[in-house]
DNA sequence: CGAGCACTTGATCGCTTTCAATAGCTGTGG
DNA sequence: CCACAGCTATTGAAAGCGATCAAGTGCTCG
């Protein structure tokens, strides 16, 4: 396993996640203070960014790539508890130990802040605390939505739910003129999907095949997914067909 | 169904949740501002406090009693996504519609703040925002812990996990001199336990009987529970036996 | 060409659900 | 005082869904 690579600092003004990350509400002077305590780290796909139980001397944001948050039992059963996309925040101000494993599923670049100075800055500037509160409330809503999926949905509905969420988050509308059609690449292996959904990888595979056979999704290779009819997918997920976002 | 009862205001200084609720960090002058926008409401066991989708014109804290946060699918499947105990916060600053049903499982008293003034106050006073952030991060951790239970544990482990959590939160150490023995009353029906755990009420009943038969728990009536050996219960829950709290 | 990995597919097993009957308790009314 | 309704909980039998065990495919890389 290779060591993380230090990269040169970028200018916050040009940052791709400037308007969505924890710094979204910051004024120029606050941004300057953050700039002084930040550094970038890069990770390769498959690399563990943080081990559960480790001391954390930084918090930070995912700048690019996808990472996962997982919990593991002694006997090896693992459950994913978060999917980290660009602008998502990692770490918890006020706590020293990491509670979860964080693993890069693609190549990942993180913007890290030294923890102590970040906490001090947060106590002084409401803009950061309020933005972090907003982001944490969103994550809590997502976690609760996921509890319904884990506790009450069938395997088929779980897969459809995951595909719907990924589609909503990173899909680009296709250019062939059919509205409601979405195309994206799955950032997760079948095993990672299983860990997210509380299933085995075999069940994930079977349900993906079933959804493909029934025309709910189209697959090119293992990872490239086309959703011909988003409403149909939402039906399969057992969600209200009204678009699905929280009111 | 009876209407909520308005009760006379209490003094914040004497409030039983003063040191743990959203107001925990407030200075006297901030407390005075909160006092000006607060009012109490009482609910009877079984009463719905908030309907999902309703407009919310308040946020607030549970002062006494137990309430549940639930999500429901169109076909009636329901999943509990939160258990609200005294000092827990209800509602989301910055959002108008309620995302979940909130139901009183015992008689409940809530300390409510009018939402608009509360939001304005929060923007001005970092003490409230920082405390709410802290509480929200705790809830997020609890939700993620619960995702492992829902996704990866067996029915028996799920029941043991729920009993362990309730024991840790409201048990009083018994007086008969056996350390590690805990006694409490379940605040939930079998059906509510099932909704929390993603099980059917029959499975909950069977596993409770099994844990009783195996001596992991003692039952008097349906609700009064004694845990003779907390370590044994933690084992059954599949958790590390090191005490279990997040590091 | 063969090793390794991600994934698929098949057959069987077993846990949880489903359907159903019953028990225990409380409150109500004849 | 007893009968009965209504509710919560227990228990049994059978069915079904996803897990487990196992084999095989297709792809990439050395």
């Amino acid at each position: 396993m290779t060591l993380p690579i230090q990269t040169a600092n970028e200018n916050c003004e040009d940052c791709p996640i400037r308007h969505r990350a924890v710094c979204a509400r910051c004024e120029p002077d606050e941004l300057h203070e953050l700039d002084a305590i930040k550094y970038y780290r890069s990770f390769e796909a498959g690399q563990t960014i943080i081990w559960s139980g480790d001391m954390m001397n930084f918090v930070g944001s995912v700048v690019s790539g996808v990472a996962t948050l997982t919990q593991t039992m002694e006997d090896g059963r693992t459950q994913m508890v978060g999917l980290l996309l660009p602008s998502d925040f990692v770490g918890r101000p006020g706590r020293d130990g990491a509670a979860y494993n964080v693993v890069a599923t693609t190549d990942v670049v993180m913007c890290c802040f030294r923890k102590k100075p970040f906490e001090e800055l947060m106590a002084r500037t409401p803009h950061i605390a309020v933005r972090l509160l907003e982001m944490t409330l969103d994550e809590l809503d997502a976690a609760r939505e996921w509890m319904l999926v884990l506790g009450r949905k069938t395997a088929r509905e779980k897969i459809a739910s995951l595909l719907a969420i990924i589609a909503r988050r990173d899909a680009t509308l296709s250019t062939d003129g059919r509205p409601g059609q979405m195309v994206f690449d799955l950032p997760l292996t079948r095993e990672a999907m299983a860990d997210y959904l509380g299933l085995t990888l075999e069940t994930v595979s079977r349900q993906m095949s079933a959804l493909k056979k029934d025309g709910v999704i189209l697959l090119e290779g293992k990872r490239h997914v086309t959703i011909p009819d988003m409403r149909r997918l939402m039906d399969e997920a057992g969600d209200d067909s009204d678009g699905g976002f929280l009111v």
Side-chain angles (χ1 to χ4, degrees), chain A:
Chain A
M1 193 166 283
T2 57
L3 288 169
I5 303 152
Q6 298 277 350
T7 61
N9 278 22
E10 287 175 24
N11 188 335
C12 287
E13 305 298 339
D14 306 329
C15 181
I17 57 168
R18 167 71 180 90
H19 54 302
R20 286 191 300 148
V22 70
C23 50
R25 293 218 193 303
C26 289
E27 303 293 338
D29 59 323
E30 293 164 344
L31 212 55
H32 190 259
E33 284 203 77
L34 274 176
D35 195 76
I37 61 172
K38 88 170 191 231
Y39 56 98
Y40 290 91
R41 290 178 70 185
S42 297
F43 301 87
E44 294 175 9
Q47 213 176 344
T48 294
I49 299 176
I50 299 163
W51 294 96
S52 175
D54 275 5
M55 282 299 158
M56 295 271 296
N57 52 11
F58 69 94
V59 297
S61 301
V62 176
V63 177
S64 65
V66 178
T68 65
L69 228 56
T70 57
Q71 275 192 100
T72 304
M73 296 170 68
E74 296 112 284
D75 62 7
R77 282 177 282 178
T78 80
Q79 175 66 49
M80 196 184 302
V81 296
L83 187 59
L84 300 170
L85 301 181
S87 84
D88 282 340
F89 190 79
V90 177
R92 172 166 175 167
R95 176 190 294 162
D96 288 330
Y100 312 102
N101 294 316
V102 182
V103 180
T105 63
T106 65
D107 289 353
V108 165
V109 176
M110 292 204 49
C111 174
C112 305
F113 306 105
R114 287 184 292 122
K115 186 149 149 296
K116 212 47 174 297
F118 182 85
E119 285 167 2
E120 287 161 8
L121 186 54
M122 203 177 74
R124 272 182 288 127
T125 70
H127 285 155
I128 294 176
V130 167
R131 175 63 188 146
L132 191 52
L133 174 58
E134 205 170 58
M135 292 173 70
T136 305
L137 285 165
D138 284 341
E139 277 187 86
L140 184 57
D141 278 333
R144 286 172 165 167
E145 188 72 25
W146 212 254
M147 288 172 73
L148 176 65
V149 173
L150 288 171
R152 292 303 186 192
K153 291 193 178 181
T154 65
R156 186 180 174 102
E157 288 170 336
K158 285 180 175 181
I159 298 288
S161 298
L162 177 57
L163 293 173
I165 284 189
I166 294 176
R168 286 200 299 232
R169 290 212 270 188
D170 36 89
T172 53
L173 284 159
S174 79
T175 50
D176 74 355
R178 293 183 56 181
Q181 176 160 340
M182 301 184 112
V183 180
F184 59 91
D185 282 297
L186 274 174
L188 302 175
T189 65
R190 297 288 185 266
E191 186 178 20
M193 292 172 70
D195 285 344
Y196 206 149
L197 297 167
L199 297 171
T200 59
L201 69 88
E202 293 95 330
T203 297
V204 171
S205 186
R206 271 185 250 277
Q207 296 298 338
M208 288 289 287
S209 298
L211 289 175
K212 177 182 170 186
K213 182 168 72 63
D214 296 344
V216 181
I217 62 174
L218 306 176
L219 278 177
E220 286 170 72
K222 314 297 187 188
R223 301 289 192 89
H224 192 75
V225 179
T226 301
I227 312 289
D229 180 356
M230 197 60 194
R231 169 120 350 171
R232 173 86 191 282
L233 184 68
M234 300 297 291
D235 268 12
E236 293 285 355
D239 292 341
D240 297 17
S241 46
D242 62 6
F245 282 96
L246 284 167
V247 185

